[in-house]
Amino acid sequence: MKYVYETISIAQRILTELGRRQRSLVFWGVFPIAVLLLNGLIFAERSKTALPEPLTLGQALERSAPATLVGAALFFSCLGGSVATVVSEREQRTLKRLFLSPLSGISYFLGIGLALSAIAITQTLLVGGVAIALGAEFKGSPFLAAAIILLSILSYVGVGFILGTQLARRTEDVNTLVAAFGVPLLILGGAFVPAFIFPKSLLNLAQYNPIYHMTEALTKVLAEGRNLSDIALNFWFLIVFAVCMVVSGWLSYRRMIQVERRL
């Protein structure tokens, strides 16, 4: 129970600090909704010439919401947020105070992950609510969709800890890292450009991109009503990737603590 209380306390502190910067929370809500509407309108307009029966806006949002959620909302809040949090905590010397307190390192690690997960869940409800309000009808299992979203959150937080502890030293480094590592992967993953229009060479390359598996799995479940057997390859890829990233993120965090202790 000690770890549980400490983890919740850390998460509350981080969410409280974010709450004081209300503009950041507003932008994290506005950005995915804007991307959702743009993708939905593009899908609906493109279907008028590409499909025998054009898609309604609601049907277009059914296909654009999953990619928007994992590609725009969760990526920038969980991955970008974890990088920014780690760098900010280091600059504010919060880690130095951690060494002088009885707070455990694992509680600190889990607390940051819990805080970002709370933001990600809020974004999920926001994107899904807007899509449903505009006519989308999601067909698949909500439990399977929740599992995919959870794996995506864990993957992003793990990668964020790796980048934040090993490569970012100042706040100015955050945007550069997220842009350099993330934007090409987002495009190749189908977050902004539908994967079905990719040439074969890019599709083959996308098979190694975890964001592609996130968008494909969630789209098949929510928009097409597929079950676990239909997305087995994508799902198992995400499980392995999420476990590897969380473990690597924890090891990177431990290494950063050892370095900070010597400074």
Side-chain angles (χ1 to χ4, degrees):
M1 294 302 295
K2 171 181 179 293
Y3 293 110
V4 173
Y5 291 136
E6 290 179 347
T7 298
I8 294 175
S9 298
I10 291 295
Q12 287 178 335
R13 182 180 66 81
I14 292 173
L15 290 174
T16 300
E17 290 181 0
L18 289 174
R20 292 170 183 161
R21 302 194 298 268
Q22 295 181 359
R23 283 179 294 181
S24 298
L25 296 178
V26 171
F27 291 150
W28 271 351
V30 170
F31 174 64
I33 292 176
V35 175
L36 171 68
L37 295 177
L38 287 173
N39 282 342
L41 291 172
I42 292 171
F43 266 111
E45 187 64 28
R46 184 73 177 87
S47 68
K48 294 179 180 179
T49 57
L51 297 176
E53 295 184 7
L55 299 175
T56 64
L57 179 59
Q59 291 172 328
L61 291 175
E62 291 172 10
R63 303 200 66 86
S64 61
T68 300
L69 178 60
V70 300
L74 302 187
F75 177 87
F76 287 100
S77 63
C78 293
L79 191 150
S82 57
V83 175
T85 300
V86 170
V87 173
S88 175
E89 297 281 75
R90 178 186 285 177
E91 285 189 333
Q92 295 173 7
R93 298 192 176 277
T94 304
L95 293 174
K96 296 292 186 183
R97 295 196 294 271
L98 171 64
F99 302 146
L100 302 176
S101 72
L103 180 68
S104 65
I106 189 171
S107 297
Y108 188 78
F109 179 84
L110 294 176
I112 294 176
L114 180 61
L116 297 174
S117 297
I119 295 173
I121 292 171
T122 303
Q123 287 180 313
T124 300
L125 297 175
L126 186 61
V127 170
V130 170
I132 292 173
L134 294 177
E137 297 179 3
F138 300 116
K139 308 174 181 64
S141 166
F143 299 104
L144 183 56
I148 296 169
I149 292 171
L150 177 60
L151 290 173
S152 302
I153 292 172
L154 293 176
S155 300
Y156 284 144
V157 171
V159 173
F161 267 94
I162 295 172
L163 297 179
T165 57
Q166 302 304 311
L167 298 179
R169 292 292 180 269
R170 298 173 299 175
T171 305
E172 293 80 6
D173 298 335
V174 175
N175 290 334
T176 304
L177 275 173
V178 172
F181 282 90
V183 174
L185 291 177
L186 288 175
I187 296 174
L188 188 60
F192 301 133
V193 180
F196 63 80
I197 68 172
F198 288 176
K200 186 172 179 56
S201 58
L202 285 183
L203 276 176
N204 292 335
L205 185 60
Q207 301 299 321
Y208 302 97
N209 182 0
I211 299 177
Y212 171 80
H213 291 280
M214 295 174 192
T215 56
E216 284 293 296
L218 197 58
T219 300
K220 289 177 181 177
V221 170
L222 293 181
E224 302 174 14
R226 303 286 186 90
N227 54 36
L228 181 58
S229 61
D230 298 319
I231 62 165
L233 176 62
N234 307 112
F235 193 76
W236 285 109
F237 183 98
L238 290 179
I239 289 177
V240 173
F241 183 78
V243 170
C244 291
M245 290 304 100
V246 170
V247 172
S248 299
W250 167 248
L251 294 176
S252 299
Y253 169 75
R254 294 288 298 174
R255 184 172 179 272
M256 179 191 69
I257 288 180
Q258 293 172 359
V259 172
E260 291 289 325
R261 285 182 186 275
R262 294 196 295 266
L263 295 179

mmCIF file of all heavy atoms in Angstrom, residues 146-192:
data_model
loop_
_atom_site.group_PDB
_atom_site.id
_atom_site.type_symbol
_atom_site.label_atom_id
_atom_site.label_comp_id
_atom_site.label_asym_id
_atom_site.label_seq_id
_atom_site.Cartn_x
_atom_site.Cartn_y
_atom_site.Cartn_z
ATOM 1 N N ALA A 146 -10.171 -0.976 -25.469
ATOM 2 C CA ALA A 146 -9.506 -0.444 -24.271
ATOM 3 C C ALA A 146 -8.125 -1.073 -24.089
ATOM 4 O O ALA A 146 -7.174 -0.396 -23.677
ATOM 5 C CB ALA A 146 -10.378 -0.691 -23.038
ATOM 6 N N ALA A 147 -7.993 -2.368 -24.405
ATOM 7 C CA ALA A 147 -6.696 -3.036 -24.289
ATOM 8 C C ALA A 147 -5.693 -2.442 -25.267
ATOM 9 O O ALA A 147 -4.521 -2.226 -24.924
ATOM 10 C CB ALA A 147 -6.858 -4.537 -24.532
ATOM 11 N N ILE A 148 -6.139 -2.164 -26.484
ATOM 12 C CA ILE A 148 -5.246 -1.564 -27.486
ATOM 13 C C ILE A 148 -4.816 -0.171 -27.047
ATOM 14 O O ILE A 148 -3.639 0.211 -27.165
ATOM 15 C CB ILE A 148 -5.947 -1.503 -28.855
ATOM 16 C CG1 ILE A 148 -6.243 -2.917 -29.360
ATOM 17 C CG2 ILE A 148 -5.083 -0.753 -29.872
ATOM 18 C CD1 ILE A 148 -7.154 -2.959 -30.567
ATOM 19 N N ILE A 149 -5.758 0.603 -26.523
ATOM 20 C CA ILE A 149 -5.436 1.955 -26.048
ATOM 21 C C ILE A 149 -4.461 1.891 -24.886
ATOM 22 O O ILE A 149 -3.503 2.673 -24.807
ATOM 23 C CB ILE A 149 -6.727 2.695 -25.655
ATOM 24 C CG1 ILE A 149 -7.570 2.962 -26.906
ATOM 25 C CG2 ILE A 149 -6.410 4.000 -24.944
ATOM 26 C CD1 ILE A 149 -8.966 3.488 -26.610
ATOM 27 N N LEU A 150 -4.674 0.948 -23.965
ATOM 28 C CA LEU A 150 -3.767 0.801 -22.825
ATOM 29 C C LEU A 150 -2.357 0.438 -23.284
ATOM 30 O O LEU A 150 -1.363 0.998 -22.791
ATOM 31 C CB LEU A 150 -4.297 -0.258 -21.870
ATOM 32 C CG LEU A 150 -3.412 -0.582 -20.654
ATOM 33 C CD1 LEU A 150 -3.208 0.657 -19.799
ATOM 34 C CD2 LEU A 150 -4.016 -1.707 -19.829
ATOM 35 N N LEU A 151 -2.250 -0.486 -24.233
ATOM 36 C CA LEU A 151 -0.939 -0.864 -24.764
ATOM 37 C C LEU A 151 -0.266 0.328 -25.449
ATOM 38 O O LEU A 151 0.954 0.503 -25.346
ATOM 39 C CB LEU A 151 -1.082 -2.030 -25.745
ATOM 40 C CG LEU A 151 -1.460 -3.380 -25.140
ATOM 41 C CD1 LEU A 151 -1.739 -4.400 -26.246
ATOM 42 C CD2 LEU A 151 -0.352 -3.898 -24.224
ATOM 43 N N SER A 152 -1.064 1.144 -26.126
ATOM 44 C CA SER A 152 -0.517 2.340 -26.776
ATOM 45 C C SER A 152 0.009 3.320 -25.744
ATOM 46 O O SER A 152 1.093 3.897 -25.908
ATOM 47 C CB SER A 152 -1.599 3.002 -27.641
ATOM 48 O OG SER A 152 -2.102 2.113 -28.618
ATOM 49 N N ILE A 153 -0.747 3.515 -24.656
ATOM 50 C CA ILE A 153 -0.313 4.427 -23.599
ATOM 51 C C ILE A 153 0.996 3.946 -22.983
ATOM 52 O O ILE A 153 1.947 4.718 -22.801
ATOM 53 C CB ILE A 153 -1.402 4.552 -22.520
ATOM 54 C CG1 ILE A 153 -2.630 5.273 -23.086
ATOM 55 C CG2 ILE A 153 -0.869 5.303 -21.301
ATOM 56 C CD1 ILE A 153 -3.829 5.276 -22.147
ATOM 57 N N LEU A 154 1.074 2.653 -22.655
ATOM 58 C CA LEU A 154 2.287 2.103 -22.053
ATOM 59 C C LEU A 154 3.483 2.251 -23.003
ATOM 60 O O LEU A 154 4.593 2.584 -22.570
ATOM 61 C CB LEU A 154 2.072 0.626 -21.714
ATOM 62 C CG LEU A 154 1.063 0.326 -20.599
ATOM 63 C CD1 LEU A 154 0.871 -1.175 -20.448
ATOM 64 C CD2 LEU A 154 1.515 0.938 -19.279
ATOM 65 N N SER A 155 3.247 2.000 -24.282
ATOM 66 C CA SER A 155 4.330 2.122 -25.263
ATOM 67 C C SER A 155 4.850 3.551 -25.324
ATOM 68 O O SER A 155 6.068 3.794 -25.284
ATOM 69 C CB SER A 155 3.832 1.687 -26.649
ATOM 70 O OG SER A 155 3.397 0.350 -26.649
ATOM 71 N N TYR A 156 3.937 4.516 -25.411
ATOM 72 C CA TYR A 156 4.340 5.909 -25.519
ATOM 73 C C TYR A 156 5.054 6.394 -24.257
ATOM 74 O O TYR A 156 6.062 7.100 -24.339
ATOM 75 C CB TYR A 156 3.117 6.788 -25.786
ATOM 76 C CG TYR A 156 2.603 6.719 -27.207
ATOM 77 C CD1 TYR A 156 1.239 6.781 -27.481
ATOM 78 C CD2 TYR A 156 3.474 6.612 -28.280
ATOM 79 C CE1 TYR A 156 0.761 6.746 -28.773
ATOM 80 C CE2 TYR A 156 3.006 6.568 -29.580
ATOM 81 C CZ TYR A 156 1.649 6.636 -29.825
ATOM 82 O OH TYR A 156 1.180 6.594 -31.116
ATOM 83 N N VAL A 157 4.531 6.034 -23.100
ATOM 84 C CA VAL A 157 5.167 6.468 -21.853
ATOM 85 C C VAL A 157 6.566 5.865 -21.737
ATOM 86 O O VAL A 157 7.520 6.544 -21.331
ATOM 87 C CB VAL A 157 4.297 6.079 -20.638
ATOM 88 C CG1 VAL A 157 5.057 6.324 -19.335
ATOM 89 C CG2 VAL A 157 3.000 6.871 -20.637
ATOM 90 N N GLY A 158 6.718 4.583 -22.098
ATOM 91 C CA GLY A 158 8.030 3.952 -22.052
ATOM 92 C C GLY A 158 9.028 4.629 -22.967
ATOM 93 O O GLY A 158 10.163 4.934 -22.564
ATOM 94 N N VAL A 159 8.611 4.899 -24.208
ATOM 95 C CA VAL A 159 9.500 5.592 -25.153
ATOM 96 C C VAL A 159 9.811 6.992 -24.641
ATOM 97 O O VAL A 159 10.948 7.482 -24.757
ATOM 98 C CB VAL A 159 8.856 5.653 -26.549
ATOM 99 C CG1 VAL A 159 9.696 6.515 -27.495
ATOM 100 C CG2 VAL A 159 8.694 4.263 -27.135
ATOM 101 N N GLY A 160 8.816 7.659 -24.064
ATOM 102 C CA GLY A 160 9.043 8.999 -23.533
ATOM 103 C C GLY A 160 10.082 9.026 -22.429
ATOM 104 O O GLY A 160 10.915 9.934 -22.371
ATOM 105 N N PHE A 161 10.056 8.019 -21.562
ATOM 106 C CA PHE A 161 11.065 7.948 -20.504
ATOM 107 C C PHE A 161 12.453 7.703 -21.089
ATOM 108 O O PHE A 161 13.445 8.254 -20.599
ATOM 109 C CB PHE A 161 10.713 6.844 -19.512
ATOM 110 C CG PHE A 161 9.926 7.318 -18.333
ATOM 111 C CD1 PHE A 161 8.550 7.257 -18.333
ATOM 112 C CD2 PHE A 161 10.575 7.855 -17.232
ATOM 113 C CE1 PHE A 161 7.824 7.709 -17.241
ATOM 114 C CE2 PHE A 161 9.860 8.304 -16.136
ATOM 115 C CZ PHE A 161 8.469 8.240 -16.138
ATOM 116 N N ILE A 162 12.531 6.880 -22.119
ATOM 117 C CA ILE A 162 13.833 6.630 -22.753
ATOM 118 C C ILE A 162 14.394 7.921 -23.337
ATOM 119 O O ILE A 162 15.558 8.287 -23.104
ATOM 120 C CB ILE A 162 13.700 5.551 -23.843
ATOM 121 C CG1 ILE A 162 13.308 4.215 -23.216
ATOM 122 C CG2 ILE A 162 15.016 5.395 -24.612
ATOM 123 C CD1 ILE A 162 12.960 3.138 -24.235
ATOM 124 N N LEU A 163 13.570 8.633 -24.102
ATOM 125 C CA LEU A 163 14.030 9.873 -24.727
ATOM 126 C C LEU A 163 14.312 10.947 -23.679
ATOM 127 O O LEU A 163 15.311 11.662 -23.764
ATOM 128 C CB LEU A 163 12.982 10.371 -25.726
ATOM 129 C CG LEU A 163 12.683 9.469 -26.920
ATOM 130 C CD1 LEU A 163 11.615 10.098 -27.801
ATOM 131 C CD2 LEU A 163 13.942 9.207 -27.740
ATOM 132 N N GLY A 164 13.421 11.061 -22.695
ATOM 133 C CA GLY A 164 13.576 12.113 -21.696
ATOM 134 C C GLY A 164 14.771 11.931 -20.781
ATOM 135 O O GLY A 164 15.381 12.904 -20.354
ATOM 136 N N THR A 165 15.112 10.677 -20.476
ATOM 137 C CA THR A 165 16.226 10.432 -19.549
ATOM 138 C C THR A 165 17.570 10.334 -20.256
ATOM 139 O O THR A 165 18.602 10.639 -19.651
ATOM 140 C CB THR A 165 15.988 9.133 -18.757
ATOM 141 O OG1 THR A 165 15.808 8.045 -19.680
ATOM 142 C CG2 THR A 165 14.753 9.261 -17.885
ATOM 143 N N GLN A 166 17.574 9.916 -21.508
ATOM 144 C CA GLN A 166 18.842 9.659 -22.185
ATOM 145 C C GLN A 166 19.254 10.741 -23.179
ATOM 146 O O GLN A 166 20.438 10.960 -23.389
ATOM 147 C CB GLN A 166 18.769 8.310 -22.933
ATOM 148 C CG GLN A 166 18.453 7.131 -22.040
ATOM 149 C CD GLN A 166 19.433 6.984 -20.897
ATOM 150 O OE1 GLN A 166 20.643 7.019 -21.091
ATOM 151 N NE2 GLN A 166 18.908 6.825 -19.685
ATOM 152 N N LEU A 167 18.287 11.411 -23.804
ATOM 153 C CA LEU A 167 18.632 12.327 -24.885
ATOM 154 C C LEU A 167 18.309 13.785 -24.585
ATOM 155 O O LEU A 167 18.974 14.674 -25.097
ATOM 156 C CB LEU A 167 17.919 11.906 -26.180
ATOM 157 C CG LEU A 167 18.280 10.515 -26.718
ATOM 158 C CD1 LEU A 167 17.489 10.206 -27.984
ATOM 159 C CD2 LEU A 167 19.780 10.399 -26.992
ATOM 160 N N ALA A 168 17.272 14.045 -23.816
ATOM 161 C CA ALA A 168 16.870 15.428 -23.535
ATOM 162 C C ALA A 168 17.568 15.933 -22.279
ATOM 163 O O ALA A 168 17.557 15.254 -21.251
ATOM 164 C CB ALA A 168 15.358 15.515 -23.368
ATOM 165 N N ARG A 169 18.144 17.101 -22.364
ATOM 166 C CA ARG A 169 18.811 17.701 -21.217
ATOM 167 C C ARG A 169 18.135 18.998 -20.774
ATOM 168 O O ARG A 169 18.186 19.366 -19.615
ATOM 169 C CB ARG A 169 20.283 17.995 -21.559
ATOM 170 C CG ARG A 169 21.111 16.740 -21.761
ATOM 171 C CD ARG A 169 21.287 15.991 -20.455
ATOM 172 N NE ARG A 169 22.074 14.771 -20.612
ATOM 173 C CZ ARG A 169 21.565 13.581 -20.880
ATOM 174 N NH1 ARG A 169 20.255 13.438 -21.029
ATOM 175 N NH2 ARG A 169 22.325 12.523 -21.014
ATOM 176 N N ARG A 170 17.525 19.691 -21.717
ATOM 177 C CA ARG A 170 16.865 20.955 -21.414
ATOM 178 C C ARG A 170 15.461 20.942 -22.000
ATOM 179 O O ARG A 170 15.138 20.133 -22.866
ATOM 180 C CB ARG A 170 17.660 22.124 -22.001
ATOM 181 C CG ARG A 170 19.066 22.278 -21.432
ATOM 182 C CD ARG A 170 19.835 23.347 -22.181
ATOM 183 N NE ARG A 170 19.979 22.997 -23.587
ATOM 184 C CZ ARG A 170 20.522 23.780 -24.508
ATOM 185 N NH1 ARG A 170 20.968 24.979 -24.160
ATOM 186 N NH2 ARG A 170 20.626 23.388 -25.753
ATOM 187 N N THR A 171 14.644 21.885 -21.550
ATOM 188 C CA THR A 171 13.274 21.978 -22.049
ATOM 189 C C THR A 171 13.250 22.224 -23.548
ATOM 190 O O THR A 171 12.350 21.738 -24.254
ATOM 191 C CB THR A 171 12.530 23.112 -21.317
ATOM 192 O OG1 THR A 171 12.601 22.891 -19.901
ATOM 193 C CG2 THR A 171 11.071 23.162 -21.743
ATOM 194 N N GLU A 172 14.250 22.945 -24.051
ATOM 195 C CA GLU A 172 14.296 23.248 -25.483
ATOM 196 C C GLU A 172 14.466 21.987 -26.330
ATOM 197 O O GLU A 172 14.154 21.981 -27.529
ATOM 198 C CB GLU A 172 15.442 24.217 -25.787
ATOM 199 C CG GLU A 172 15.274 25.612 -25.205
ATOM 200 C CD GLU A 172 15.632 25.682 -23.732
ATOM 201 O OE1 GLU A 172 16.122 24.656 -23.187
ATOM 202 O OE2 GLU A 172 15.423 26.745 -23.114
ATOM 203 N N ASP A 173 15.000 20.921 -25.721
ATOM 204 C CA ASP A 173 15.234 19.686 -26.474
ATOM 205 C C ASP A 173 13.948 18.895 -26.729
ATOM 206 O O ASP A 173 13.928 18.022 -27.598
ATOM 207 C CB ASP A 173 16.213 18.773 -25.711
ATOM 208 C CG ASP A 173 17.576 19.415 -25.532
ATOM 209 O OD1 ASP A 173 17.930 20.281 -26.353
ATOM 210 O OD2 ASP A 173 18.279 19.059 -24.575
ATOM 211 N N VAL A 174 12.896 19.186 -25.966
ATOM 212 C CA VAL A 174 11.691 18.355 -26.032
ATOM 213 C C VAL A 174 11.062 18.406 -27.417
ATOM 214 O O VAL A 174 10.796 17.372 -28.048
ATOM 215 C CB VAL A 174 10.675 18.794 -24.953
ATOM 216 C CG1 VAL A 174 9.372 18.006 -25.113
ATOM 217 C CG2 VAL A 174 11.261 18.586 -23.568
ATOM 218 N N ASN A 175 10.800 19.620 -27.927
ATOM 219 C CA ASN A 175 10.142 19.740 -29.231
ATOM 220 C C ASN A 175 10.986 19.132 -30.343
ATOM 221 O O ASN A 175 10.459 18.500 -31.262
ATOM 222 C CB ASN A 175 9.858 21.213 -29.543
ATOM 223 C CG ASN A 175 8.776 21.787 -28.652
ATOM 224 O OD1 ASN A 175 7.911 21.064 -28.155
ATOM 225 N ND2 ASN A 175 8.814 23.090 -28.431
ATOM 226 N N THR A 176 12.299 19.312 -30.259
ATOM 227 C CA THR A 176 13.180 18.755 -31.284
ATOM 228 C C THR A 176 13.126 17.237 -31.296
ATOM 229 O O THR A 176 13.026 16.607 -32.354
ATOM 230 C CB THR A 176 14.630 19.209 -31.030
ATOM 231 O OG1 THR A 176 14.679 20.637 -30.973
ATOM 232 C CG2 THR A 176 15.551 18.717 -32.139
ATOM 233 N N LEU A 177 13.165 16.633 -30.109
ATOM 234 C CA LEU A 177 13.123 15.174 -30.016
ATOM 235 C C LEU A 177 11.798 14.618 -30.520
ATOM 236 O O LEU A 177 11.762 13.664 -31.298
ATOM 237 C CB LEU A 177 13.343 14.739 -28.563
ATOM 238 C CG LEU A 177 14.786 14.604 -28.093
ATOM 239 C CD1 LEU A 177 14.817 14.328 -26.606
ATOM 240 C CD2 LEU A 177 15.493 13.496 -28.854
ATOM 241 N N VAL A 178 10.703 15.215 -30.066
ATOM 242 C CA VAL A 178 9.389 14.720 -30.468
ATOM 243 C C VAL A 178 9.197 14.859 -31.972
ATOM 244 O O VAL A 178 8.674 13.946 -32.634
ATOM 245 C CB VAL A 178 8.281 15.473 -29.698
ATOM 246 C CG1 VAL A 178 6.901 15.103 -30.238
ATOM 247 C CG2 VAL A 178 8.365 15.162 -28.216
ATOM 248 N N ALA A 179 9.645 15.977 -32.534
ATOM 249 C CA ALA A 179 9.497 16.181 -33.970
ATOM 250 C C ALA A 179 10.379 15.219 -34.760
ATOM 251 O O ALA A 179 9.935 14.607 -35.741
ATOM 252 C CB ALA A 179 9.836 17.632 -34.333
ATOM 253 N N ALA A 180 11.637 15.079 -34.337
ATOM 254 C CA ALA A 180 12.579 14.249 -35.088
ATOM 255 C C ALA A 180 12.200 12.773 -35.057
ATOM 256 O O ALA A 180 12.263 12.077 -36.077
ATOM 257 C CB ALA A 180 13.989 14.441 -34.539
ATOM 258 N N PHE A 181 11.794 12.272 -33.886
ATOM 259 C CA PHE A 181 11.480 10.855 -33.755
ATOM 260 C C PHE A 181 10.021 10.552 -34.095
ATOM 261 O O PHE A 181 9.712 9.492 -34.629
ATOM 262 C CB PHE A 181 11.768 10.383 -32.318
ATOM 263 C CG PHE A 181 13.213 10.150 -32.031
ATOM 264 C CD1 PHE A 181 14.002 11.171 -31.540
ATOM 265 C CD2 PHE A 181 13.799 8.919 -32.268
ATOM 266 C CE1 PHE A 181 15.352 10.966 -31.276
ATOM 267 C CE2 PHE A 181 15.139 8.702 -32.006
ATOM 268 C CZ PHE A 181 15.914 9.730 -31.509
ATOM 269 N N GLY A 182 9.142 11.500 -33.771
ATOM 270 C CA GLY A 182 7.727 11.180 -33.835
ATOM 271 C C GLY A 182 7.024 11.448 -35.134
ATOM 272 O O GLY A 182 6.268 10.590 -35.620
ATOM 273 N N VAL A 183 7.239 12.623 -35.728
ATOM 274 C CA VAL A 183 6.447 13.008 -36.893
ATOM 275 C C VAL A 183 6.610 12.037 -38.064
ATOM 276 O O VAL A 183 5.607 11.615 -38.662
ATOM 277 C CB VAL A 183 6.780 14.459 -37.309
ATOM 278 C CG1 VAL A 183 6.058 14.817 -38.606
ATOM 279 C CG2 VAL A 183 6.390 15.429 -36.205
ATOM 280 N N PRO A 184 7.828 11.618 -38.434
ATOM 281 C CA PRO A 184 7.922 10.620 -39.509
ATOM 282 C C PRO A 184 7.202 9.315 -39.171
ATOM 283 O O PRO A 184 6.557 8.705 -40.049
ATOM 284 C CB PRO A 184 9.442 10.393 -39.647
ATOM 285 C CG PRO A 184 10.063 11.631 -39.116
ATOM 286 C CD PRO A 184 9.170 12.059 -37.997
ATOM 287 N N LEU A 185 7.294 8.875 -37.908
ATOM 288 C CA LEU A 185 6.602 7.648 -37.513
ATOM 289 C C LEU A 185 5.094 7.822 -37.554
ATOM 290 O O LEU A 185 4.360 6.890 -37.895
ATOM 291 C CB LEU A 185 7.047 7.232 -36.107
ATOM 292 C CG LEU A 185 8.488 6.746 -35.967
ATOM 293 C CD1 LEU A 185 8.802 6.442 -34.511
ATOM 294 C CD2 LEU A 185 8.733 5.506 -36.828
ATOM 295 N N LEU A 186 4.606 9.014 -37.204
ATOM 296 C CA LEU A 186 3.169 9.273 -37.256
ATOM 297 C C LEU A 186 2.645 9.208 -38.689
ATOM 298 O O LEU A 186 1.602 8.615 -38.955
ATOM 299 C CB LEU A 186 2.866 10.650 -36.659
ATOM 300 C CG LEU A 186 2.996 10.787 -35.143
ATOM 301 C CD1 LEU A 186 2.775 12.231 -34.721
ATOM 302 C CD2 LEU A 186 2.008 9.881 -34.433
ATOM 303 N N ILE A 187 3.379 9.819 -39.604
ATOM 304 C CA ILE A 187 2.959 9.796 -41.006
ATOM 305 C C ILE A 187 3.000 8.374 -41.544
ATOM 306 O O ILE A 187 2.056 7.899 -42.196
ATOM 307 C CB ILE A 187 3.847 10.732 -41.845
ATOM 308 C CG1 ILE A 187 3.652 12.183 -41.387
ATOM 309 C CG2 ILE A 187 3.526 10.591 -43.332
ATOM 310 C CD1 ILE A 187 4.584 13.169 -42.054
ATOM 311 N N LEU A 188 4.090 7.662 -41.253
ATOM 312 C CA LEU A 188 4.219 6.278 -41.718
ATOM 313 C C LEU A 188 3.231 5.356 -41.014
ATOM 314 O O LEU A 188 2.890 4.295 -41.546
ATOM 315 C CB LEU A 188 5.652 5.791 -41.477
ATOM 316 C CG LEU A 188 6.038 4.427 -42.074
ATOM 317 C CD1 LEU A 188 5.888 4.433 -43.586
ATOM 318 C CD2 LEU A 188 7.457 4.061 -41.688
ATOM 319 N N GLY A 189 2.757 5.746 -39.853
ATOM 320 C CA GLY A 189 1.797 4.923 -39.118
ATOM 321 C C GLY A 189 0.355 5.140 -39.517
ATOM 322 O O GLY A 189 -0.537 4.485 -38.986
ATOM 323 N N GLY A 190 0.099 6.083 -40.425
ATOM 324 C CA GLY A 190 -1.269 6.324 -40.873
ATOM 325 C C GLY A 190 -2.053 7.264 -39.989
ATOM 326 O O GLY A 190 -3.285 7.287 -40.055
ATOM 327 N N ALA A 191 -1.367 8.047 -39.142
ATOM 328 C CA ALA A 191 -2.075 8.955 -38.248
ATOM 329 C C ALA A 191 -2.654 10.154 -38.991
ATOM 330 O O ALA A 191 -3.753 10.610 -38.679
ATOM 331 C CB ALA A 191 -1.137 9.437 -37.149
ATOM 332 N N PHE A 192 -1.925 10.664 -39.975
ATOM 333 C CA PHE A 192 -2.373 11.833 -40.717
ATOM 334 C C PHE A 192 -2.721 11.505 -42.172
ATOM 335 O O PHE A 192 -3.543 12.189 -42.772
ATOM 336 C CB PHE A 192 -1.286 12.923 -40.695
ATOM 337 C CG PHE A 192 -0.927 13.376 -39.308
ATOM 338 C CD1 PHE A 192 0.390 13.499 -38.927
ATOM 339 C CD2 PHE A 192 -1.909 13.669 -38.379
ATOM 340 C CE1 PHE A 192 0.726 13.926 -37.646
ATOM 341 C CE2 PHE A 192 -1.587 14.089 -37.097
ATOM 342 C CZ PHE A 192 -0.260 14.226 -36.728
#
